[in-house]
Amino acid sequence: QVRLVESGGGLVQPGGSLNLTCAASGSNFDTYGLRWFRQVPGKQRELIAKITSSGLIDVAVKGRFTVSRDNARNMVFLQIDSLEPKDTAVYYCNAYSLRGDYWGKGTLVTVSS
């Protein structure tokens, strides 16, 4: 059982950067794999990146995204650089393991001048 809360979204100009945070509460955070997704209204939810409990990283949307985790603080981060209008979406974090599968409510990123 974990609860996830995303933060760090907002309005940013093209070319800017954001660091999104997903804060978790609960037990055994260090045993969960963590994933970042994003979703545009009317479109399928898209996997951005994942980081396993052992720290192995796989980035699905390559080039401008960096995922990391801080187990001591029960947090996972997504750094987004060189933001483009097409990056506008709700960004979600997800924790997964054999114990369960948990989602945050998302944080909205809007890229516009």
Side-chain angles (χ1 to χ4, degrees):
Q1 171 72 46
V2 295
R3 287 183 167 85
L4 306 172
V5 180
E6 302 95 336
S7 63
L11 177 63
V12 63
Q13 295 187 39
S17 298
L18 285 175
N19 185 240
L20 307 183
T21 297
C22 179
S25 60
S27 301
N28 301 307
F29 175 81
D30 60 331
T31 70
Y32 285 86
L34 298 160
R35 299 183 291 195
W36 283 97
F37 292 79
R38 66 183 179 186
Q39 188 169 28
V40 177
K43 298 186 68 176
Q44 295 286 306
R45 189 168 296 187
E46 177 188 22
L47 174 66
I48 301 169
K50 62 182 178 182
I51 181 167
T52 71
S53 59
S54 63
L56 183 64
I57 295 171
D58 187 18
V59 180
V61 182
K62 297 180 175 61
R64 301 177 293 110
F65 298 86
T66 304
V67 64
S68 60
R69 66 189 295 164
D70 185 342
N71 290 337
R73 295 197 289 160
N74 283 15
M75 290 183 176
V76 60
F77 308 96
L78 182 68
Q79 176 74 28
I80 315 174
D81 298 310
S82 301
L83 280 157
E84 304 169 12
K86 67 179 181 180
D87 295 320
T88 296
V90 178
Y91 286 72
Y92 299 89
C93 66
N94 161 251
Y96 63 96
S97 78
L98 293 176
R99 301 177 186 87
D101 190 10
Y102 305 95
W103 293 85
K105 294 182 179 180
T107 184
L108 176 63
V109 172
T110 303
V111 184
S112 176
S113 59

